Amino acid sequence: MNQFLLIAADLIAITALVVMFFLRHRRRDLVVAFVTVNVGVLAVASILGTTEVGLGVGLGLFGVLSIIRLRSTEISQHEVAYYFAALAMGLVAGLAGLATSVPWFSLAVMALVLVGIGIADQPGLLRRYRQQRIVMDTAYPDEVQLRGALERMLGGRVHRVNVVELDLVNDTTTVDVKFEVGRVGFDTPPSAALNPRDAAEVAR
């Protein structure tokens, strides 16, 4: 009975997860991946729970699945978090299904995972903080000048900048920049950057 309860709870949780993900990020292909991974892990974990292979094998399986890297397309860090949430809920539901009492703790853990990712991926949370790779049409050997150019270009405060490539021959600078938009004192719009090509690179 507990097994069916947890399967039903897992199906409800993964449905809520993929609906939340699709409404926020609009990627249908990953919706299919999240559901398949969740149901597959649930099935395998349920079978493992009925044998004598032990919890160690189940946790080893979870570790293997959690480091899967799909090379066909690049996924972002927040999408990796959704993958991990789908894996975790499927594993919890599958391994806790043989409990003799009503598995309230497992249900609470699944709800905690769902609520946690819902709050962490809230669009309004830290919405002014961005990270971006920018190719600038000027070589900046001096970091102070580079920060000033980036702040004028982005219209915000640069918190950290990492120079990926400094090309003095072609006069370009490639940077990974972490910045905060909309800060007081940085009212210059991105279009007012040092030159038009830099602004075009940011707009891509």
Side-chain angles (χ1 to χ4, degrees):
M1 183 64 181
N2 289 339
Q3 185 70 57
F4 293 109
L5 174 63
L6 283 167
I7 290 175
D10 179 69
L11 293 178
I12 294 171
I14 192 61
T15 300
L17 183 77
V18 297
V19 168
M20 178 173 58
F21 174 81
F22 184 76
L23 291 177
R24 292 179 178 180
H25 303 288
R26 303 292 178 177
R27 286 199 59 176
R28 180 183 178 277
D29 57 331
L30 288 181
V31 168
V32 177
F34 296 152
V35 173
T36 304
V37 166
N38 176 266
V39 174
V41 170
L42 173 65
V44 173
S46 299
I47 296 300
L48 287 175
T50 62
T51 65
E52 296 181 355
V53 294
L55 183 61
V57 174
L59 293 177
L61 172 68
F62 177 67
V64 170
L65 291 174
S66 66
I67 62 174
I68 289 177
R69 174 71 173 176
L70 302 181
R71 299 294 181 180
S72 58
T73 182
E74 184 177 351
I75 61 176
S76 62
Q77 293 301 313
H78 71 270
E79 291 164 349
V80 172
Y82 278 92
Y83 262 116
F84 186 82
L87 282 167
M89 292 190 300
L91 187 64
V92 169
L95 293 181
L98 297 180
T100 56
S101 59
V102 179
W104 297 114
F105 181 73
S106 299
L107 295 174
V109 169
M110 293 169 63
L112 179 63
V113 171
L114 190 61
V115 171
I117 195 169
I119 295 174
D121 193 41
Q122 180 63 237
L125 183 64
L126 303 175
R127 62 186 178 86
R128 296 195 303 178
Y129 291 86
R130 314 284 173 80
Q131 178 176 351
Q132 195 168 5
R133 174 165 291 194
I134 301 174
V135 180
M136 305 183 70
D137 191 27
T138 304
Y140 290 99
D142 185 86
E143 185 175 342
V144 175
Q145 294 180 356
L146 175 61
R147 282 178 173 268
L150 286 169
E151 289 181 345
R152 287 189 292 271
M153 177 186 299
L154 299 170
R157 169 163 295 176
V158 172
H159 291 286
R160 179 172 298 180
V161 58
N162 177 43
V163 178
V164 178
E165 183 179 1
L166 179 63
D167 191 337
L168 298 176
V169 176
N170 296 316
D171 198 26
T172 60
T173 307
T174 304
V175 296
D176 281 327
V177 56
K178 298 178 179 65
F179 62 100
E180 182 181 358
V181 298
R183 288 294 299 270
V184 176
F186 295 97
D187 298 327
T188 304
S191 59
L194 293 182
N195 56 69
R197 290 184 58 186
D198 284 352
E201 291 292 345
V202 177
R204 290 181 183 178

